[in-house]
Amino acid sequence: MTTRREFLRQSAAAMAAGLILPRSLNAFTLNEKRVSPSDQLNVALVGCKNMGWYDLTDIMQCNGVKCVGLCDVDKNILAEKAADAEKRWGYHVDTYTDYRRLLERSDLDAVIIGTPDHWHCLIMTDACSAGKDVYVEKPIANSISECDAMVLAAKRYNRVVQVGQQQRSSKLWQQMKSIIDSGQLGTIARVNVWANFRYAAVLNPAKDGPVPEGVDFQMWLGPAPDRTFNRSRFHGSWRMFWDYGGGLLTDWGVHLLDMALWGMNVKGMPRRIMASGANNAYPDNFAETFDTMQVIYEFDKFNIQWSNVTIESGPYGKNYGLEFKGTEGTLVVNRESMELYPQDKSKEMQSWKPMNNEHADHARDFVDSVRERRFDTACPISNGSFCAKYAHMGNIAARTRETLVYDDKQHTFHNKQADRFIEKAYRKPWKMPKWK
C-alpha cells in the first residue's frame, strides 16, 4: 500500500519530469478521526509572530498534524515560540532563521507563511517548487505581479494552497451570500465597505537606530530596498509602509472586498477605479500609507465603495463592515453580527450572530484539502490573488490620482504612471519569480 508520504515523493518526481497530476486523488482522503502514523502531516511555520502563530496553533488542532519546524529572522521570537511549542505539544521543534534551509527537509509536507507581505511571494513560490503545500496569509502579495507569480507557481507545481481569508469558511458570511442570492434585497445599487482602525496611524515614531540583538535585518528586508532600521517600521507597523504592505486597504480590505465581490458575483475587473488618499486625520502620521481613503470600483449596474479613516467609528455603530444597499432592503454585516433592514418599515429587522469558529474551520479545510489532494480550498490562490489585486488597484489609483482601468490579460493599466506600480523591483540577490 502506498503511504501518503510516498505519494508526495512520487508527486514531486512526476512534477520534476514534467508530468501533469490529476486534480483530485480521492484515494488519499483521510478520516479526521483516524489517521495512521504513515499519514501524519508535517507542517512548519515561517514568520512566527502574531497571525502566523495563530494559524499554526489552529492547524495543530487537527488530528494527525505535527509541527517540525519554526522559522523567523528574529531569534528572540524564535526562542519564545519554540519554548511555547514544546510546552504545548510536548516535543522539541527544530528552528531556522533562513526559510530555504527549512524547505530542504524531505519530511516537510506543508508550509504556513505568516511573514510581512513583501516576503509572501518568494517563500510561497519556493515552497511550491520544493513540493510543499502552502497556507499563506493575506494579502497574498505586495504587488499585482507577485499575485500572478503565485497563481502560476501553484498551478505549475500542482500544489494545494489556502489563503488566510477565513471568512470564506464562516457560516455567517455564507448566510450573507444566500440572502443576497435569494433576491430579497431587490436590486443592489451600491455596496459600501469600510474599515476604520487607529493602528493605521503611526504616531510618535522612533528615530532610526541600531538593529536589535538577534534580528537579521537584511533577511527581514529581503527583496525590499535597503533601508536603515527603525522600530516604527518593524513588527506590526510595517503594514503602513509601501515597501512591505499596503495599509488598511490590503490588511482589512482583502477580507471585506472579498465578501463584497463574492456577494455581487464579480468575476473580473471593474470598468474603472477612482480613488483619493491622504493623511488627513493625523497630518504628522509617520506612515506612508493613507489614514483617510476612498475608492470607488465601478461596474455596469452597481458600485463597490471602500473607505477607511483612523477614527474608530462607522455606520450602524460598526467601525468595519459591509452594507449591501438594495431596493427592497439593506444588509449590514461584519464578523460580529449581520442585520437585514427591510425597505418596508412594517416588516421587522432580522439579525444573526456567528455560527461557527471560522478560523478553526478554515485551518481544518486546509488540512483536509492537503490530505485529499483537493485544490478547490475554501479560499484558493486564485481568489486570494483576485482580492489582493482589487486592493492594490485601489492603492495605485490613490497614489497616482488617476482614474484607472486594469487590463488583467495584458497586465497593464495602459497608463505609464500606474504601470510602474504593477511590479516591484527586487533587491539583489533576490529575483522576482516569473509572473507572465
Side-chain angles (χ1 to χ4, degrees):
M1 176 180 176
T2 303
T3 67
R4 181 180 176 282
R5 192 168 308 287
E6 288 168 346
F7 163 71
L8 290 174
R9 291 196 184 102
Q10 292 166 5
S11 299
M15 286 184 291
L19 301 177
I20 299 174
L21 299 179
R23 178 174 175 81
S24 178
L25 294 167
N26 292 327
F28 291 89
T29 300
L30 300 179
N31 187 305
E32 178 64 19
K33 295 181 180 180
R34 297 179 62 189
V35 179
S36 66
S38 62
D39 288 317
Q40 176 178 284
L41 183 68
N42 290 340
V43 302
L45 171 63
V46 183
C48 298
K49 189 175 175 66
N50 297 332
M51 202 64 203
W53 184 252
Y54 186 29
D55 295 333
L56 174 64
T57 53
D58 266 359
I59 287 173
M60 287 292 291
Q61 295 297 314
C62 301
N63 198 27
V65 177
K66 182 179 181 180
C67 178
V68 298
L70 299 173
C71 180
D72 204 285
V73 299
D74 188 336
K75 291 181 179 178
N76 305 294
I77 291 174
L78 198 55
E80 174 191 334
K81 297 304 183 185
D84 194 355
E86 187 164 0
K87 182 178 179 180
R88 285 171 179 260
W89 304 311
Y91 57 85
H92 170 78
V93 177
D94 293 338
T95 59
Y96 302 80
T97 55
D98 188 327
Y99 76 93
R100 294 169 294 185
R101 304 290 80 80
L102 174 66
L103 294 181
E104 292 172 354
R105 292 185 64 139
S106 60
D107 65 340
L108 177 61
D109 301 316
V111 176
I112 305 160
I113 303 173
T115 64
D117 301 349
H118 70 287
W119 260 117
H120 288 182
C121 180
L122 267 180
I123 299 172
M124 183 271 188
T125 54
D126 284 348
C128 288
S129 68
K132 319 302 182 186
D133 297 314
V134 178
Y135 186 108
V136 59
E137 261 307 321
K138 57 82 217 164
I140 67 162
N142 200 34
S143 68
I144 290 174
S145 63
E146 289 176 321
C147 291
D148 288 328
M150 294 168 79
V151 172
L152 282 176
K155 183 177 180 180
R156 178 183 181 186
Y157 297 107
N158 212 48
R159 293 295 93 200
V160 174
V161 181
Q162 178 85 293
V163 180
Q165 292 170 213
Q166 66 269 15
Q167 287 166 187
R168 284 281 175 159
S169 294
S170 166
K171 292 182 180 179
L172 180 68
W173 297 94
Q174 290 163 9
Q175 178 70 12
M176 173 209 79
K177 175 66 170 164
S178 296
I179 291 171
I180 294 168
D181 287 349
S182 73
Q184 61 185 292
L185 298 182
T187 299
I188 299 175
R190 186 194 70 185
V191 184
N192 186 30
V193 188
W194 69 97
N196 302 330
F197 293 95
R198 194 171 183 272
Y199 75 86
V202 182
L203 306 177
N204 303 313
K207 294 181 179 180
D208 288 356
V211 178
E213 187 72 26
V215 174
D216 185 343
F217 186 57
Q218 285 301 307
M219 191 65 175
W220 186 90
L221 287 171
D226 197 10
R227 198 169 189 177
T228 54
F229 179 83
N230 188 301
R231 62 179 174 84
S232 294
R233 290 193 298 265
F234 196 43
H235 288 319
S237 54
W238 55 262
R239 290 177 176 84
M240 307 307 154
F241 298 88
W242 296 120
D243 288 338
Y244 325 119
L248 284 173
L249 186 49
T250 59
D251 194 29
W252 268 94
V254 288
H255 281 306
L256 301 178
L257 288 174
D258 184 16
M259 296 297 99
L261 296 167
W262 186 36
M264 298 304 292
N265 295 310
V266 176
K267 305 298 183 183
M269 296 293 108
R271 284 204 315 189
R272 58 178 178 165
I273 310 119
M274 298 159 280
S276 174
N279 280 327
N280 292 337
Y282 298 98
D284 296 328
N285 191 347
F286 185 59
E288 295 172 350
T289 57
F290 306 123
D291 71 18
T292 308
M293 190 174 181
Q294 297 81 37
V295 183
I296 296 175
Y297 302 95
E298 183 181 89
F299 301 88
D300 288 340
K301 297 180 179 180
F302 60 90
N303 289 341
I304 294 176
Q305 176 179 300
W306 161 269
S307 66
N308 68 254
V309 67
T310 50
I311 302 167
E312 295 198 352
S313 61
Y316 304 93
K318 305 175 188 289
N319 66 314
Y320 75 96
L322 294 93
E323 174 197 53
F324 293 87
K325 197 73 174 177
T327 54
E328 300 300 322
T330 298
L331 188 66
V332 180
V333 57
N334 68 9
R335 291 178 181 175
E336 281 75 50
S337 66
M338 179 168 64
E339 295 82 37
L340 174 56
Y341 300 90
Q343 194 68 17
D344 183 346
K345 303 303 179 184
S346 66
K347 297 181 179 179
E348 292 186 358
M349 182 267 286
Q350 296 176 266
S351 64
W352 297 262
K353 291 292 185 181
M355 307 168 205
N356 68 312
N357 184 328
E358 60 185 44
H359 197 276
D361 287 349
H362 205 58
R364 188 175 300 107
D365 178 78
F366 173 63
V367 171
D368 290 345
S369 297
V370 170
R371 285 176 168 153
E372 297 166 11
R373 305 316 299 157
R374 175 168 54 82
F375 299 91
D376 57 339
T377 58
C379 187
I381 190 68
S382 57
N383 186 65
S385 171
F386 186 59
C387 302
K389 284 182 179 181
Y390 264 78
H392 290 309
M393 289 188 299
N395 273 333
I396 292 169
R399 295 178 76 179
T400 59
R401 300 183 182 275
E402 300 268 5
T403 297
L404 301 176
V405 178
Y406 186 62
D407 185 337
D408 200 25
K409 293 183 178 179
Q410 298 298 318
H411 310 286
T412 179
F413 288 103
H414 301 287
N415 178 303
K416 290 183 179 179
Q417 286 293 101
D419 280 351
R420 66 191 179 95
F421 290 109
I422 292 174
E423 181 178 2
K424 294 191 175 184
Y426 272 30
R427 184 174 65 124
K428 294 181 179 179
W430 308 103
K431 294 182 180 180
M432 171 69 199
K434 181 180 177 182
W435 64 282
K436 63 179 179 179

